[in-house]
C-alpha cells in the first residue's frame, strides 16, 4: 500500500532569493551576449550629442557680415540655401559632380556641397546673388542672356560663377580651353556652345570680372 507524499515545508525567503538569483543571472547573460559595438554606441551617445552642438562662425557673404550658429555637419550649400535663403546657388547632385552649387570663396571657385560651413570661418563668399551691382548685371550675366547660354536655367548660376573664375584664372584663351576648365559644370540642356560663346565674348571684350 502506497503512502501519500509528505507535504514539503515552505521556505518563502529561500524561494525569493532563488528568483532574484535567476533574474540577475539572466541580466548578466544578456549583457554578455550584447554585441560590443552596441554597448560602445550607447556609451558614445552623450559624446555624439556634444559633437552636433552648434558652434559660432563668422562669414562675409556678398559683402555682408554674418555671425551665425551652425552644426559642424552643415555644408556651405545648405547654409546658404536653408539658413540664409540664398537659393540662387542650386543643389544638383549634392556630390560635387555637376557644379550647380559653384560659389567663390576668397575669389576661388568651389563646389559648396563639398565643404562644411564651419571650415569657411572669416572667409569672403560670393554667390550668384552677389555678382551684379545693384540693378546692373555682371558682364557675364549679360553675355549669357545675349548668347542664350541657358535653357532651363537650373545650372546657370553655377555656370556663370565658373565662367567668371575661368577668366580670372587665365583659362579662357580658346573655346577648347574654356570647355576643359568648365568641364565640371554640367548642363543637362546641352547649351555648351552658347556658354562658350558668352565666355569668349566677355574675355575678348576686356571686361573686368
Amino acid at each position: 500500500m502506497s503512502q501519500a507524499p509528505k507535504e514539503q515545508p515552505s521556505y518563502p525567503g529561500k524561494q525569493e532569493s532563488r528568483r532574484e538569483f535567476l533574474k540577475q543571472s539572466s541580466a548578466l547573460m544578456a549583457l554578455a551576449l550584447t554585441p560590443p559595438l552596441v554597448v560602445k554606441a550607447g556609451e558614445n551617445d552623450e559624446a555624439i550629442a556634444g559633437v552636433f552642438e552648434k558652434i559660432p562662425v563668422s562669414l562675409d557673404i556678398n559683402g555682408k557680415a554674418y555671425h551665425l550658429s551652425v552644426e559642424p555637419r552643415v555644408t556651405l550649400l545648405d547654409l546658404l540655401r536653408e539658413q540664409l535663403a540664398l537659393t540662387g546657388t542650386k543643389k544638383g547632385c549634392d556630390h560635387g559632380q555637376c557644379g550647380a552649387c559653384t560659389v567663390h570663396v576668397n575669389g576661388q571657385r568651389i563646389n559648396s556641397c563639398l565643404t562644411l560651413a564651419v571650415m569657411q570661418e572669416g572667409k569672403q563668399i560670393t554667390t550668384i546673388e552677389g555678382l551684379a551691382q545693384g540693378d546692373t548685371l555682371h558682364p557675364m550675366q549679360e553675355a549669357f542672356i545675349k548668347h542664350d547660354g541657358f535653357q532651363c536655367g537650373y545650372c546657370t548660376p553655377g555656370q556663370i560663377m565658373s565662367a567668371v573664375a575661368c577668366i580670372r584664372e587665365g583659362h579662357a584663351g580658346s573655346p577648347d580651353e574654356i570647355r576643359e576648365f568648365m568641364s565640371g559644370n554640367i548642363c543637362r540642356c546641352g547649351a555648351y556652345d552658347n556658354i562658350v560663346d558668352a565666355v569668349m565674348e566677355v574675355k575678348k571684350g576686356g571686361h573686368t570680372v
Side-chain angles (χ1 to χ4, degrees):
M1 183 176 179
S2 62
Q3 295 182 345
K6 293 182 179 179
E7 185 177 350
Q8 296 297 320
S10 175
Y11 302 103
K14 187 174 180 179
Q15 290 180 353
E16 188 69 28
S17 297
R18 186 180 179 194
R19 260 197 307 276
E20 190 65 26
F21 171 77
L22 291 173
K23 283 169 59 179
Q24 292 176 355
S25 297
S26 298
L28 289 173
M29 181 64 73
L31 183 61
L33 295 177
T34 302
L37 195 59
V38 175
V39 177
K40 189 69 176 176
E43 293 174 351
N44 289 337
D45 277 353
E46 189 173 345
I48 292 172
V51 169
F52 289 111
E53 289 180 357
K54 292 184 177 181
I55 62 175
V57 61
S58 297
L59 304 170
D60 181 313
I61 303 176
N62 298 332
K64 181 179 178 181
Y66 288 85
H67 302 286
L68 306 165
S69 181
V70 300
E71 292 183 358
R73 61 181 174 175
V74 172
T75 66
L76 178 58
L77 173 61
D78 286 342
L79 174 69
L80 293 172
R81 289 182 56 84
E82 297 176 14
Q83 194 163 334
L84 303 180
L86 294 171
T87 53
T89 303
K90 301 305 182 186
K91 178 180 280 193
C93 66
D94 210 20
H95 290 82
Q97 298 176 346
C98 73
C101 66
T102 302
V103 299
H104 296 170
V105 175
N106 286 350
Q108 303 295 315
R109 54 177 160 170
I110 67 166
N111 291 325
S112 59
C113 72
L114 293 183
T115 186
L116 298 174
V118 294
M119 296 170 63
Q120 311 308 321
E121 169 66 29
K123 295 182 180 177
Q124 292 183 329
I125 297 163
T126 304
T127 70
I128 191 67
E129 290 93 342
L131 212 55
Q133 299 296 320
D135 293 333
T136 303
L137 293 178
H138 186 278
M140 191 64 73
Q141 292 173 309
E142 292 182 338
F144 264 64
I145 294 173
K146 177 181 176 181
H147 291 277
D148 195 17
F150 55 90
Q151 290 183 32
C152 80
Y154 194 83
C155 72
T156 305
Q159 296 277 6
I160 290 176
M161 299 306 288
S162 268
V164 171
C166 191
I167 293 178
R168 289 177 179 173
E169 295 163 2
H171 297 308
S174 69
D176 286 345
E177 189 178 26
I178 292 170
R179 287 190 177 91
E180 179 179 353
F181 283 90
M182 290 196 58
S183 60
N185 290 81
I186 306 302
C187 173
R188 61 187 175 186
C189 300
Y192 295 112
D193 289 342
N194 299 4
I195 291 171
V196 171
D197 289 344
V199 178
M200 285 297 296
E201 177 175 298
V202 176
K203 174 66 169 56
K204 291 179 178 177
H207 296 286
T208 300
V209 295

